[in-house]
Amino acid sequence: MLDMGRIIEDNSLRDRLGVFEDRTDAGRRLAAFLSPLEMIVEPVVCAIPAGGVPPGLEVARALGTPLRMAVVRKVQFPWNPEAGFGAVTWDGRVFLNRALMAGLGLSEAEVDAAVARARKSVEERVERFSGGREAPNLEGRTAILIDDGLATGYTMLAAIEAARTESPKTIVVAVPTGSLHAVNFIARKADLVVCPNIRTGRTFAVAEAYGRWHDLSDQEVQELLIQARDMGLF
C-alpha cells in the first residue's frame, strides 16, 4: 500500500454544482475513469447502500465485475439522525469518532443505544440485500468501494477498514463527488481515490452535485439488485 494514496479528479469539474444528472449518470462517468486503470486487477465493486448502489451497478456493468453490498451505517446523534459520530460495518465492527464525541457530552448510555441501533440496521440490511448469497471474496483482488459522495469520509473510512480485513490486493475508493477535506483524508487510507467533482467550499452537500436527487428506499435498492442478478453481476 502507498503511504499516500493518489487522487484522480476532473479539473474541469472542480467546485462545480449540478454536474451529474443522477446517480446512474455519475456511475457511468466514474466507470470511464476506472476502466483504463492498469492497477485494477480482478476487481469487485463494493457498493455502500443505499446511495452507492446506482453508481456501483453502472461501474460493475462497465467492468463486467461482481457487485457486492458493503453495508455501513452511521452511528447517529440522538438529536440529529442525518449526522453521525461513527459507523458500524457489515462485519459488525464499530468505529467511533472519539475526537468528535469528546466535545459533545454524550453519555455512555446514549452511545451504547446509538451503536445498538446502527448494528441492528446493518444486520437487517445485510440479510435483506444478500438474500442468503455469499459475497465475493476480496482476497488478492481490487476492492472498489463506491458511494454517491464523500462529505466527512467517516463512513468510507469504516468501509475501508472492514474491507482490509479480507486482504484485498488494492483498495480503490470511487465517488462522484466529495469535499476536498474528505478526499484528502480518505486518500491517506486507500491506494487510490477517484473523485471527478471535488469541492473546496466551506459547506458541502452531496446532493448539490446532482440534478435529480432523492433518498433511495430499500425497495429501490432491491430492484437494482434484481437488475444486477439478471446481468450475472450479483
Side-chain angles (χ1 to χ4, degrees), residues 96-115:
L96 298 177
N97 187 334
R98 302 284 180 183
L100 179 60
M101 290 168 58
L104 294 173
L106 289 167
S107 69
E108 184 176 343
E110 287 175 321
V111 171
D112 289 346
V115 168

Side-chain angles (χ1 to χ4, degrees), residues 75-86 100-101 104 106 114 117:
V75 179
Q76 299 167 327
F77 293 118
W79 58 85
N80 182 7
E82 295 301 316
F85 58 91
L100 179 60
M101 290 168 58
L104 294 173
L106 289 167
R117 285 193 296 271

Side-chain angles (χ1 to χ4, degrees), residues 10 34 42 47 51 86 113 120 168 170-171 174 221 223 226 230:
D10 183 340
L34 292 164
E42 292 189 82
K120 184 173 186 292
T170 308
I171 293 180
V221 171
E223 290 169 0
I226 290 171
D230 291 344

Side-chain angles (χ1 to χ4, degrees), residues 1-5 156-157 160-161 164 171 173 183-193:
M1 177 181 168
L2 302 173
D3 290 335
M4 176 64 177
M156 185 60 74
L157 171 64
I160 290 170
E161 295 300 330
R164 201 173 297 286
I171 293 180
V173 169
V183 169
N184 284 333
F185 171 57
I186 291 301
R188 293 192 288 271
K189 308 295 182 178
D191 297 293
L192 175 69
V193 177

Side-chain angles (χ1 to χ4, degrees), residues 38-61:
E38 294 182 0
M39 69 179 292
I40 295 180
V41 179
E42 292 189 82
V44 177
V45 171
C46 305
I48 298 177
V53 176
L57 175 58
E58 293 306 312
V59 171
R61 189 204 312 261

